[in-house]
């Protein structure tokens, strides 16, 4: 009867995974309704939705470097030129560099990304309906969970089939049929999510994604500094044209 315990485990795994996916989908739908009134994004908002907290720090570093308020060396060091930040994120970058005025860029990015200013930005985006609250879990996370559960059920079913049968117990075919039910539930949940929710929202809600697409389409109509910073917000430091700046972000982190 050991196969029964494997079957129960399969049902529990699939049920919990499908429940998390459904909850994430409900939260995403509620967020979508709240975000319907927004028609634009700031660059920091776009950076967060496109690449998370680290992208926000990258954008601030690039903006300050292009205005010569920071020096970003190709060796991977950030040096403060002007110690006055122009917004809360730049203040967080300067705080991350520290009173010595110089620090490795990867360490600055990590510290600035964890700053309160970036967390506040994330909270504002979630409240505005443009980002999915982290505590709720994203649809993409839910889909990955259901996929893992489906794979686990397949493994448990295979184990149950190859276990030595008990006298009077079900045949291998019947045992496999029992495990086909939770597997079918998981696959059906994935199919529904694919049809109704794809592309799966990660940080950005559907409303946030629409605004990001609008911002991306508007890149061709921009020039100069605005185009560069918008490209960095959406694509990361690799969008910077200056080879020296790209090299600065590519440098490996070292211990302080």
């Amino acid at each position: 009867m050991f196969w029964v315990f494997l079957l129960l485990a399969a049902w529990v795994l699939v049920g919990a995974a499908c429940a998390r996916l459904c909850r994430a989908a409900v939260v995403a739908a509620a967020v979508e309704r709240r975000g319907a009134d927004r028609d634009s994004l700031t660059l920091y908002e776009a950076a967060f939705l496109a690449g998370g907290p680290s992208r926000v720090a990258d954008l601030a570093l690039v903006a300050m470097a292009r205005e010569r308020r920071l020096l970003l060396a190709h060796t991977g060091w950030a040096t403060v030129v002007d110690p006055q930040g122009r917004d809360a994120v730049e203040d967080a970058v300067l705080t991350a560099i520290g009173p010595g005025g110089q620090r490795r860029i990867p360490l600055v990015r990590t510290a600035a990304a964890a700053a309160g200013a970036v967390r506040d930005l994330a909270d504002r985006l979630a409240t505005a309906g443009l980002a999915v609250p982290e505590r709720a879990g994203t649809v993409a996370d839910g889909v990955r969970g259901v996929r893992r559960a489906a794979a686990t059920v397949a493994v448990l079913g295979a184990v149950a089939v190859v276990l030595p049968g008990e006298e009077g117990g079900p045949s291998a075919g019947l045992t496999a049929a029992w495990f086909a039910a939770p597997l079918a539930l998981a696959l059906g949940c994935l199919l529904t999510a694919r049809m109704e929710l794809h592309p799966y929202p990660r940080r950005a809600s559907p409303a946030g994604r629409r605004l990001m697409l609008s911002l991306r389409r508007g890149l061709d109509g921009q020039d100069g500094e605005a185009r560069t910073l918008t490209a960095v917000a959406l694509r990361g430091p690799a969008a910077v044209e200056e080879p020296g700046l790209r090299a600065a972000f590519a440098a490996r982190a070292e211990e302080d």
Side-chain angles (χ1 to χ4, degrees):
M1 294 293 289
F2 183 66
W3 70 273
V4 175
F5 295 102
L6 296 180
L7 180 61
L8 289 174
W11 274 110
V12 169
L13 284 172
V14 170
C18 290
R20 285 194 294 270
L21 176 55
C22 291
R23 179 173 181 267
V26 169
V27 171
V31 168
E32 165 76 355
R33 290 191 292 271
R34 293 201 307 272
D37 295 335
R38 287 287 298 270
D39 58 4
S40 63
L41 293 171
T42 68
L43 287 183
Y44 283 142
E45 289 173 340
F48 182 88
L49 295 178
S54 295
R55 183 68 58 79
V56 177
D58 291 340
L59 177 61
L61 283 165
V62 171
M64 297 172 77
R66 289 178 63 85
E67 293 177 355
R68 302 295 188 268
R69 294 184 287 123
L70 279 184
L71 293 180
L72 302 183
H74 69 278
T75 53
W77 285 88
T79 302
V80 176
V81 176
D82 181 357
Q84 298 297 320
R86 297 182 180 177
D87 54 52
V89 177
E90 291 190 359
D91 288 340
V93 168
L94 294 170
T95 300
I97 294 174
Q102 192 174 62
R103 196 179 186 190
R104 295 286 299 179
I105 292 173
L107 300 178
V108 175
R109 293 174 69 240
T110 300
V118 180
R119 291 196 300 271
D120 291 343
L121 174 66
D123 291 340
R124 290 195 301 272
L125 285 168
T127 300
L130 301 177
V132 178
E134 291 186 7
R135 63 183 179 277
T138 66
V139 171
D141 292 335
V143 168
R144 283 193 294 269
V146 176
R147 286 173 179 163
R148 288 193 295 266
T152 303
V153 169
V155 172
L156 292 176
V159 171
V161 167
V162 301
L163 282 175
E166 299 177 358
E167 186 177 349
S171 65
L174 184 57
T175 300
W178 278 107
F179 280 88
L183 183 59
L185 174 61
L187 295 178
C189 194
L190 289 173
L191 179 61
T192 302
R194 178 77 182 184
M195 295 173 60
E196 300 292 336
L197 302 172
H198 194 267
Y200 308 127
R202 295 181 181 274
R203 293 180 183 89
S205 71
R209 287 203 309 274
R210 284 197 298 271
L211 294 179
M212 287 172 61
L213 288 173
S214 176
L215 194 60
R216 187 172 286 113
R217 287 194 294 265
L219 268 176
D220 292 337
Q222 296 179 338
D223 54 17
E225 192 71 8
R227 178 184 174 86
T228 297
L229 294 181
T230 302
V232 171
L234 295 174
R235 302 170 189 163
V240 177
E241 295 179 357
E242 294 91 332
L245 274 181
R246 290 200 303 271
F249 283 94
R252 294 180 59 186
E254 296 178 359
E255 293 295 329
D256 278 338

